[in-house]
DNA sequence: CAGTCGTGGAC
DNA sequence: TGTCCAAGACT
């Protein structure tokens, strides 16, 4: 990847107008009103692949419950996951929790100031480490998130796929060279603000952009075509079933393994329906599942609700059955019986949370289920 | 190193 | 409605 060098002239055309724009039009965000590295770290983790408006309420709730690194480190993972419920990418919560424990045991419960120590923490990669070091500790380390990548690809009219290794390396170099030594923290937040509010993926507001006159993509009329995006892949669709097994006022739930999809969250027992199974065999699969896993040979079950859900890499139709039984089968880990009133204390995935909500609402309306 | 990992906003 | 994709990291 060969490009013109980033020299002082380019820095003047880019960095200075950007900083000026940020000081008058930058966003007022809660993690910009603190110098607590823990809060800044938390915001960076929550904002990975997540929009500001989505993360905001989670950020406030999280800090109310875990105001310090020590408080987070001594919490149960399940309590952390409960606060993360609905935010997605739950490995972030798991890594955050583990990193807090590492900080308490090895770093006096403080975020270290060396890049090597920070990036070694779970859940912190090159970009997040750069952001924490620069914003929380006043250092000067580049980042290359979606915003910076898009802004740079447009400003320099990079007409190649930024996922190519050589292009990615050049963008990192470029991001580093553009950083001002003295105002690095404001600069980072400025370029992210620009990407999030002006230089947006579709229909960028170039007339509001402080560097419009120097933007190569704008000059070439390529601003909506860059950066080059990967062709979208078709995501497969799978059928799942889940059973709300009820005895009196209790229901049976199961905790997911601590690795993989929705790790550590609770759900109503069930599994994916085999790929080649026919229509109508879902009930048969459901009966077989409860017979084999829980020894239930009778089945007083009926369809309860159907939930459509989209994950990153597949779509799911979740067929939910309501299932009454006289006696509680023994619940061995990872299974557990819980009263309906206490269901909402457990962290569920969004799809299964819809079931929890339905059960809770029915109860509040005085109906059985 | 390409696949995995969630969810919701915006259009 | 479908489509893109958001302050990426981990394997």
């Amino acid at each position: 990847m060969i490009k013109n060098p980033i020299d002082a002239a380019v820095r003047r055309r880019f960095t200075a107008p950007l900083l000026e724009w940020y000081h008058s039009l930058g966003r007022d965000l809660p993690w910009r009103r603190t110098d607590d590295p823990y809060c800044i770290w938390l915001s960076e983790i929550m904002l990975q692949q997540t929009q500001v408006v989505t993360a905001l309420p989670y950020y406030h709730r999280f800090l109310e419950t875990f105001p310090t690194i020590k408080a987070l480190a001594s919490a149960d993972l399940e309590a952390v996951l409960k606060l993360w419920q609905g935010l997605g990418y739950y490995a972030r919560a798991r890594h955050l929790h583990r990193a807090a424990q590492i900080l308490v045991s090895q770093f006096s419960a403080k975020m270290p100031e060396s890049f090597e120590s920070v990036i070694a923490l779970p859940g912190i990669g090159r970009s997040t480490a750069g952001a924490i070091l620069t914003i929380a500790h006043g250092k000067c380390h580049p980042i290359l998130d979606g915003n910076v990548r898009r802004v740079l690809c447009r400003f320099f009219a990079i007409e190649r796929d930024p996922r190519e290794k050589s292009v990615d390396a050049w963008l990192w170099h470029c991001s580093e060279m553009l950083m001002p030594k003295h105002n690095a923290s404001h600069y980072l937040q400025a370029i992210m603000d620009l990407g999030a509010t002006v230089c947006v993926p579709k229909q960028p507001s170039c007339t509001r952009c402080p560097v419009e006159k120097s933007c190569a993509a704008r000059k070439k009329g390529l601003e909506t075509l860059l950066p080059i995006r990967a062709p979208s892949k078709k995501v497969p669709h799978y059928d799942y079933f889940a059973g709300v097994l009820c005895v009196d006022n209790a229901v049976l739930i199961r905790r997911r393994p601590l690795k993989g999809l929705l790790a550590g969250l609770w759900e109503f027992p069930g599994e994916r329906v085999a790929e080649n199974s026919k229509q109508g065999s879902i009930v048969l699969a459901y009966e077989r599942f409860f017979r084999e896993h829980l020894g239930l040979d009778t089945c007083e079950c009926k369809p309860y609700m159907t939930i459509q859900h989209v994950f990153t890499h597949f779509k799911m139709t979740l067929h939910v059955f309501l299932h009454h039984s006289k006696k509680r089968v023994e619940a061995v880990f990872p299974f557990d019986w819980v009263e309906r009133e206490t269901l909402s204390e457990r962290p569920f995935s969004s799809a299964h949370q819809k079931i929890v909500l339905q059960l809770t609402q029915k109860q509040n309306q005085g109906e059985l289920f």
Side-chain angles (χ1 to χ4, degrees):
Chain A
M1 181 72 195
I2 312 268
K3 260 289 182 180
N4 294 335
I6 311 298
D7 57 16
V10 177
R11 274 206 295 275
R12 273 196 302 278
R13 288 202 306 274
F14 185 78
T15 307
L18 184 57
L19 276 171
E20 194 177 334
W21 170 83
Y22 176 70
H23 284 131
S24 57
L25 294 172
R27 291 177 291 181
D28 180 17
L29 300 170
W31 42 88
R32 291 177 178 170
R33 291 174 164 269
T34 176
D35 59 354
D36 185 345
Y38 169 57
C39 300
I40 293 164
W41 169 35
L42 176 66
S43 75
E44 290 300 328
I45 301 300
M46 283 192 167
L47 289 166
Q48 288 170 358
Q49 303 297 104
T50 305
Q51 297 185 349
V52 165
V53 287
T54 304
L56 268 174
Y58 286 88
Y59 174 82
H60 292 299
R61 282 199 297 267
F62 200 96
L63 284 177
E64 280 173 24
T65 309
F66 305 123
T68 63
I69 292 175
K70 281 184 183 173
L72 174 57
S74 61
D76 288 332
L77 174 60
E78 192 164 323
V80 179
L81 286 173
K82 183 63 194 179
L83 281 169
W84 213 270
Q85 174 181 304
L87 196 54
Y89 286 135
Y90 298 94
R92 295 183 294 175
R94 215 166 54 246
H95 292 148
L96 188 73
H97 184 231
R98 187 148 55 89
Q101 294 177 334
I102 292 172
L103 293 188
V104 167
S105 63
Q106 299 179 28
F107 295 93
S108 308
K110 287 177 184 167
M111 179 61 66
E113 301 204 13
S114 84
F115 185 83
E116 291 70 25
S117 299
V118 172
I119 201 173
L121 293 168
I124 299 182
R126 189 173 173 186
S127 262
T128 301
I132 292 172
L133 268 290
T134 303
I135 298 170
H137 288 143
K139 312 259 182 172
C140 187
H141 293 270
I143 66 171
L144 188 61
D145 65 350
N147 288 318
V148 176
R149 187 176 295 108
R150 185 171 54 256
V151 169
L152 296 185
C153 280
R154 284 176 176 164
F155 189 79
F156 295 101
I158 307 301
E159 300 179 50
R160 289 175 57 183
D161 190 334
R163 285 167 295 276
E164 284 180 42
K165 219 166 85 176
S166 63
V167 182
D168 179 77
W170 183 85
L171 287 168
W172 271 107
H173 172 254
C174 180
S175 175
E176 180 175 2
M177 297 305 289
L178 283 172
M179 288 189 76
K181 280 54 180 177
H182 296 298
N183 228 343
S185 172
H186 283 175
Y187 167 79
L188 275 197
Q189 300 176 72
I191 193 169
M192 288 192 284
D193 262 20
L194 189 74
T197 65
V198 174
C199 196
V200 292
K202 298 168 184 175
Q203 303 220 274
S205 313
C206 295
T207 57
R208 293 195 292 124
C209 180
V211 294
E212 179 191 9
K213 287 195 294 296
S214 317
C215 178
R218 181 67 163 164
K219 286 176 187 170
K220 294 183 172 186
L222 296 175
E223 63 270 21
T224 60
L225 301 177
L226 299 179
I228 307 275
R229 10 188 182 278
S232 59
K233 296 175 193 168
K234 282 219 293 198
V235 299
H237 176 279
Y238 302 124
D239 284 295
Y240 281 73
F241 63 81
V244 183
L245 178 60
C246 311
V247 174
D248 301 327
N249 201 39
V251 295
L252 185 69
I253 59 176
R254 178 183 61 178
R255 196 173 186 202
R256 295 180 62 88
L258 284 172
K259 292 199 169 204
L261 185 69
L262 306 170
L265 301 189
W266 290 87
E267 64 184 7
F268 296 94
E271 64 184 6
R272 177 143 82 94
V273 180
E275 193 83 45
N276 54 3
S277 62
K278 305 241 185 339
Q279 293 281 8
S281 66
I282 293 173
V283 177
L284 296 178
Y286 176 84
E287 291 176 2
R288 183 170 58 246
F289 175 87
F290 273 80
R291 189 168 58 245
E292 289 179 0
H293 289 265
L294 297 158
L296 292 176
D297 49 12
T298 59
C299 183
E300 292 181 29
C301 63
K302 59 180 183 184
Y304 189 50
M305 56 196 298
T306 303
I307 295 165
Q308 303 293 337
H309 196 75
V310 180
F311 294 97
T312 306
H313 51 296
F314 70 94
K315 300 178 183 177
M316 171 178 78
T317 299
L318 179 60
H319 305 267
V320 185
F321 295 88
L322 187 60
H323 187 153
H324 288 283
S325 180
K326 303 273 188 250
K327 250 182 77 178
R328 291 190 187 191
V329 294
E330 187 187 3
V332 185
F333 186 83
F335 290 93
D336 197 8
W337 285 102
V338 292
E339 300 301 312
R340 259 204 297 178
E341 294 81 359
T342 61
L343 261 181
S344 57
E345 296 172 7
R346 311 290 182 105
F348 283 85
S349 70
S350 283
H352 285 252
Q353 178 62 25
K354 290 178 184 171
I355 306 172
V356 171
L357 200 63
Q358 181 73 7
L359 290 167
T360 307
Q361 285 177 348
K362 289 290 183 190
Q363 187 173 35
N364 289 340
Q365 291 163 9
E367 301 178 32
L368 280 178
F369 285 95

